[in-house]
Amino acid sequence: MQVTKVALIGMGTVGTGVARLLIDHGDRTARHAGRTLWVESVVVSDLQKPRDFELPRGLLTNDLSRVLQNGEVKLAAMLIGGIEPARTITLQLLESGKDIVTANKLLLAEHGPELFDRARELGRSIAFDASVMGGIPIITNIGQCFSANQILSLRGILNGTTNFIVSQMEEQDADYAAALKEAQRLGYAEPDPTMDVSGGDAAQKLAILAHLAFGARVHWREIPCVGIDTLDSADMRYAKELGYRIKLIAVAQLHDGTRSVPTTSGALELHVTPTLVKIGTPLAEVRGAFNALQVVGDAVGPVFFHGLGAGQMPTASAVVADMIDTAVGRTGITFRTLNLWSQDEARVKTLDHKQLPGRYYLRFTVEDRPGVLAEIAGLLGKHQISIASVIQHEPSGDGAGRVVPLVIMTQQAKEGAAQTAVAEIDRLKCVRAGSVRMRVLD
């Protein structure tokens, strides 16, 4: 059987899983690839670091030149996280004649144009299915399987850590701090969880998906983004009372700016934000550390992907699948056809976020006295925002100065109008600090 020699750069959590699949299950990969993917070298920075998978003698090295100077190695899995030295090593691998497979979403989100342009100049390819949603083959499906479609919308849960936290807050009635601590104990959240809980990780993934599906040229930091780090368990309870669950939802959707429905033309809506999702719909039922994405194409209609979006073996599964596709030439064809991260004009413009239509969940803490609801309704009406429903429970305690939560669900309104109206309501004497505004996905 034909042999394709490969190298692994990095042997952390994902790299260890990739090594295990290629070495312990080489017969499986050979059956799918029609050739053996032979691990020639595994490059690491620390040879003495303890590892829970024992490599065959002679594979492990801290000398990158051993791969760069080996003309028989045609394919490298670049499994180092972060920006540097990952960027420099990727360029060196391309210039030494290697095709690349990577799981590094941050590297692509920050330096995709530079790396992909250089790869095209050198006649090489970069495969990256593992960079978004781990073991869920969403990159392949959008790039290849849906190629007959105009994608209309992507809506999904792209970060398992945040989904675990909001699931804990709802199911265990835990506050945010307790849910985060549990996520860290189980290894779902890093000691510094900022990139996950701020929504930044989901925004990086959304930028990649929006580029692939719509040809959008947007940096992930330009995507409007709100994290879950200010979520209150009270809002989980109110959402459930209204028939919704709160999820951190990433959205990329084409529409004409007047209605929150997909269209085949118009500007691209992009954002990541805690969102109320109707109980019983697929996204609302995604629990724990799972990811999910609903893709709507004009020909195929709605398609739903659900699974583990991170972790050693799911991500390693996607890396090895990309290695097989690259070895047999499928990745190169897609890479050239899509012209990813090229200097071409963006195929679609992004919608002005303030013009984005949608419904909203609003929660205020207000004085318990007559006329408060009328004051708030008056300011909403001033900005053409209609009220769909209200929740105001009876107050607890006695005496003057009591405050109560007031929950309002709006009809459809523009993002900018909702933002301005809430800011004006916050300045009313009857309203206390700490109002909440979240989008509603119906």
Side-chain angles (χ1 to χ4, degrees), residues 10-230:
M11 197 181 172
T13 300
V14 175
T16 298
V18 172
R20 180 175 282 118
L21 287 175
L22 291 175
I23 293 170
D24 284 355
H25 302 287
D27 56 338
R28 183 190 304 168
T29 57
R31 184 167 64 251
H32 287 283
R35 67 193 67 204
T36 299
L37 299 183
W38 183 267
V39 181
E40 186 77 359
S41 297
V42 179
V43 182
V44 297
S45 59
D46 182 1
L47 293 173
Q48 306 307 316
K49 180 181 177 180
R51 294 176 171 84
D52 60 8
F53 180 70
E54 187 174 348
L55 293 168
R57 186 180 299 275
L59 287 189
L60 201 64
T61 179
N62 61 358
D63 184 6
L64 180 63
S65 65
R66 179 169 152 181
V67 173
L68 297 176
Q69 295 172 11
N70 187 342
E72 294 184 342
V73 174
K74 301 297 185 184
L75 171 61
M78 217 297 298
L79 304 173
I80 299 173
I83 298 295
E84 288 292 357
R87 171 188 162 275
T88 297
I89 291 174
T90 300
L91 288 169
Q92 290 175 322
L93 290 167
L94 290 170
E95 287 160 4
S96 67
K98 323 299 183 195
D99 290 317
I100 304 292
V101 170
T102 186
N104 190 331
K105 63 184 175 298
L106 178 58
L107 180 65
L108 298 180
E110 289 285 353
H111 293 285
E114 175 192 20
L115 298 177
F116 278 65
D117 278 348
R118 188 62 178 142
R120 274 185 288 269
E121 290 171 3
L122 297 166
R124 305 266 57 90
S125 68
I126 301 174
F128 54 101
D129 214 332
S131 67
V132 179
M133 300 182 73
I136 304 171
I138 192 61
I139 300 296
T140 297
N141 275 279
I142 292 177
Q144 298 180 22
C145 302
F146 296 151
S147 57
N149 287 257
Q150 166 64 63
I151 301 297
L152 304 179
S153 70
L154 307 173
R155 294 173 171 176
I157 296 165
L158 304 183
N159 183 278
T161 299
T162 54
N163 200 58
F164 176 84
I165 291 171
V166 297
S167 295
Q168 286 288 111
M169 291 177 70
E170 181 202 354
E171 295 167 12
Q172 306 300 323
D173 198 24
D175 63 21
Y176 169 77
L180 171 59
K181 186 175 181 180
E182 179 67 4
Q184 290 171 322
R185 185 185 73 82
L186 294 172
Y188 294 134
E190 299 289 341
D192 180 1
T194 303
M195 189 56 72
D196 290 323
V197 300
S198 69
D201 175 81
Q204 291 168 8
K205 296 170 181 174
L206 184 62
I208 292 171
L209 292 176
H211 178 73
L212 188 66
F214 302 102
R217 304 288 195 273
V218 58
H219 192 279
W220 68 272
R221 294 186 189 276
E222 298 172 359
I223 294 175
C225 182
V226 178
I228 65 162
D229 43 351
T230 59

Side-chain angles (χ1 to χ4, degrees), residues 367-379:
E367 293 178 359
D368 180 32
R369 63 172 176 78
V372 168
L373 179 57
E375 287 186 63
I376 292 173
L379 282 178

Side-chain angles (χ1 to χ4, degrees), residues 91-417:
L91 288 169
Q92 290 175 322
L93 290 167
L94 290 170
E95 287 160 4
S96 67
K98 323 299 183 195
D99 290 317
I100 304 292
V101 170
T102 186
N104 190 331
K105 63 184 175 298
L106 178 58
L107 180 65
L108 298 180
E110 289 285 353
H111 293 285
E114 175 192 20
L115 298 177
F116 278 65
D117 278 348
R118 188 62 178 142
R120 274 185 288 269
E121 290 171 3
L122 297 166
R124 305 266 57 90
S125 68
I126 301 174
F128 54 101
D129 214 332
S131 67
V132 179
M133 300 182 73
I136 304 171
I138 192 61
I139 300 296
T140 297
N141 275 279
I142 292 177
Q144 298 180 22
C145 302
F146 296 151
S147 57
N149 287 257
Q150 166 64 63
I151 301 297
L152 304 179
S153 70
L154 307 173
R155 294 173 171 176
I157 296 165
L158 304 183
N159 183 278
T161 299
T162 54
N163 200 58
F164 176 84
I165 291 171
V166 297
S167 295
Q168 286 288 111
M169 291 177 70
E170 181 202 354
E171 295 167 12
Q172 306 300 323
D173 198 24
D175 63 21
Y176 169 77
L180 171 59
K181 186 175 181 180
E182 179 67 4
Q184 290 171 322
R185 185 185 73 82
L186 294 172
Y188 294 134
E190 299 289 341
D192 180 1
T194 303
M195 189 56 72
D196 290 323
V197 300
S198 69
D201 175 81
Q204 291 168 8
K205 296 170 181 174
L206 184 62
I208 292 171
L209 292 176
H211 178 73
L212 188 66
F214 302 102
R217 304 288 195 273
V218 58
H219 192 279
W220 68 272
R221 294 186 189 276
E222 298 172 359
I223 294 175
C225 182
V226 178
I228 65 162
D229 43 351
T230 59
L231 271 186
D232 192 312
S233 54
D235 293 308
M236 314 297 287
R237 295 191 292 272
Y238 285 121
K240 195 169 186 178
E241 186 174 342
L242 290 161
Y244 293 84
R245 289 195 176 97
I246 297 174
K247 298 290 184 181
L248 185 67
I249 300 295
V251 174
Q253 176 174 301
L254 286 174
H255 61 73
D256 61 10
T258 61
R259 298 176 300 153
S260 290
V261 295
T263 179
T264 54
S265 62
L268 183 65
E269 167 190 348
L270 282 173
H271 54 85
V272 175
T273 182
T275 303
L276 274 71
V277 186
K278 195 74 174 175
I279 291 174
T281 59
L283 283 176
E285 305 308 318
V286 179
R287 306 298 182 91
F290 280 73
N291 283 193
L293 185 71
Q294 178 182 284
V295 181
V296 179
D298 64 346
V300 73
V303 181
F304 193 75
F305 297 86
H306 176 240
L308 288 170
Q312 182 184 69
M313 298 314 293
T315 307
S317 167
V319 170
V320 173
D322 267 348
M323 295 177 78
I324 291 171
D325 281 350
T326 301
V328 302
R330 288 192 289 264
T331 299
I333 294 170
T334 304
F335 183 87
R336 289 190 296 272
T337 302
L338 292 176
N339 209 20
L340 297 172
W341 279 289
S342 70
Q343 297 305 313
D344 294 348
E345 286 290 321
R347 296 201 310 267
V348 63
K349 294 182 179 179
T350 55
L351 180 71
D352 179 357
H353 192 61
K354 290 185 177 181
Q355 298 303 311
L356 179 63
R359 296 182 61 219
Y360 295 91
Y361 164 97
L362 310 175
R363 177 171 63 82
F364 305 101
T365 301
V366 301
E367 293 178 359
D368 180 32
R369 63 172 176 78
V372 168
L373 179 57
E375 287 186 63
I376 292 173
L379 282 178
L380 291 174
K382 171 186 169 184
H383 294 281
Q384 306 301 308
I385 301 171
S386 298
I387 294 175
S389 63
V390 175
I391 295 178
Q392 184 174 356
H393 293 161
E394 290 191 14
S396 58
D398 298 310
R402 291 182 305 184
V403 295
V404 293
L406 175 65
V407 174
I408 294 173
M409 293 283 276
T410 76
Q411 302 286 9
Q412 194 163 104
K414 294 291 180 69
E415 174 75 21

